Amino acid sequence: MIYLVSTNPNLHFWDNLCDLDYVFNYFKDHTTVALDTETNGLSFAFSKLWTIQFGDEKNQFVIDLSTLENKVSLIKFIESKELIIHNAAFDIPFLYSLGAINIKVYDTFLAEYVLTMGLFNPGRSLPDVCKRYCNVELSKDQRSILTETGLSTPEDILYCALDVAYLHKVKEAQEKLIDKHKLANAVKIENEFVRVNAYIEYCGIYLNTDKWYNRVRLAEYLEYGALLKLKEAAVEYGVDPDINWSSSKQVGEVFTQLGIEIFDKKEGKNTVGAKFIKKQDHPIIKLYIDYKEKEKSVTTYGRNWFDYVQKDGRIHTKYKSMVDTARTSSGNVRQGPFPNMQNLSSDSDTRECFEGQKGNVLIIGDYSSQESIIMAEFSKEPALIEFFLTGGGDMHAYIAQQIYHKELKGLTLAEIKENYPKLRSAAKAAGFAIQYGGTGFTIADNMGITADEGEEIYQNYMKAFPKLKEYFDKTFEDTLEQGYIKTNNVTNRKRFIDNIDKVKSMMKNKKFWLKYLEAKKTKSEFYYEVLPSVKKFGTARSAIYKLGLNTPIQSTAADMAKMAGVIFLNWIIKNKKFGSIKIVNFVHDEYVVECAARSAEKIAQALKESMEEAADCFTKVLKIKVEPMISKVWKK
């Protein structure tokens, strides 16, 4: 049965009218209530909340908020139940703006993401899960009409109600799979963190538009200067200076005239990307790369950012709670004024435009060497563990000393950093590449050196830290045996792999490989016949190996940071500081918090304790430290 709560006489065509007390009484003995909202836009910052729907599989209630004057009882009801919501990151900011703060959520979208993490296009939308678990077809055709006008027709009311009719059954079906795969802790942390995710959007981050305007004007000036230098060089080398230097096709044609190679054999296509062309020695390349960097500063971080600022002077962007590494992502400028706040240029001229509003300050807290420490603890590599236990220091200089032991023996890390920058850079490139599942080729590609040089650095790294190789191989073996990548023992999160059964089957086919190796010697017809399949297998196997190295470290780092956000938000709510202590940004291992200057020291300590408490749950041998910084502006 579908009920309507509204005093609008134009809606009294609906037979089943009731009041809020009837709704509350119906759910009196329910611990969980399905909830959905309808709005006329994608953000609470500039959109109207038309309705809230509550329901279970038997009855659904559509609350017309436009006619509801006193919302106190509604807020208390919302805070008293566990809410089943599909994609709660959208709804919760609207609930926060309504006044509901102490929210408990089971998010069927995030639960489905945890159950299918890593799978290609599994279908996680509300119609997808209703079809999968309830065999029900849901339509979204009515949405565009409703969001513009609010409730006006019987179809509107029916549309609203259906979104909460099946969520209990979806939850019930998901929980069986969650128990089967032992994913309860992973789902729990996502359901708790989505409140944090929504709070960051709700708070928004303040942009000093005067600073930004000055920064943009300077960026435009520098871009124009770089373009003039590029055109002058083009004239000098006898090519057309007036091409569109933003067109990859036209630039590629000019570079070909100048004898610059633009065909990337690895990717099998033409490219003028900086990573590829910088390996070649031609003066115009450096000028072109410089121009493209300055152009990006204008186009990506330019005047368009003024459109992202809302009436309160803040940017309220969107955050996606998880991707296939369990990390979060940010931004969606195609759908609205939602820039990527996690990939903002790190230069001080850009970041320092973001600051505390009206005399407030920012607290910046990030984990020190988070992923490196996780890798050391998981691999049990004694040299790395010893390094962190004895106080750490310059990680890249230390790795350089282990790789280039003969050259750097007896030197302090400070001496290595100052006097051997090339060896330190090589160690840094190797560390980052290997930490993310890279190989010698990756190192060579990142550093612009030969494949042999990259492989030598890689092998030296593995010789210096032999337990890493053992850990990586064991992770790969476990992945093949289990059929998924397990991330850590705290959340037990898993990353599933679509094609893993085919790879396992191919690896076990000894008869095929013996025949292939024999055919390879003679280059027989069979060899050429199966070669494409063998290459495809090799690519798939390498991808699984790389994911097996990268995923446990990144996912554990993500789980740790999410848990930290949950602990800190709970502290904010417990101390009745919701809205006054703002979490304004989250960048993987870093939280940015805004508060009044007078209480910054206390809040910085609370943030530090929250982040370190979360870290201690995941790393038992090593401690990951946080030293928050208090600043008027956002900076490292």
Side-chain angles (χ1 to χ4, degrees), residues 139-147 153-157 159:
S139 171
K140 290 293 178 185
D141 295 341
Q142 192 75 10
R143 181 183 296 276
S144 60
I145 302 170
L146 176 61
T147 54
T153 69
E155 289 76 21
D156 293 342
I157 298 168
Y159 169 83

Side-chain angles (χ1 to χ4, degrees), residues 254-274:
V254 166
F255 280 6
T256 300
Q257 285 180 253
L258 295 173
I260 298 170
E261 180 59 60
I262 65 168
F263 184 74
D264 185 345
K265 294 179 181 177
K266 180 184 175 184
E267 298 294 329
K269 63 181 180 180
N270 290 335
T271 179
V272 292

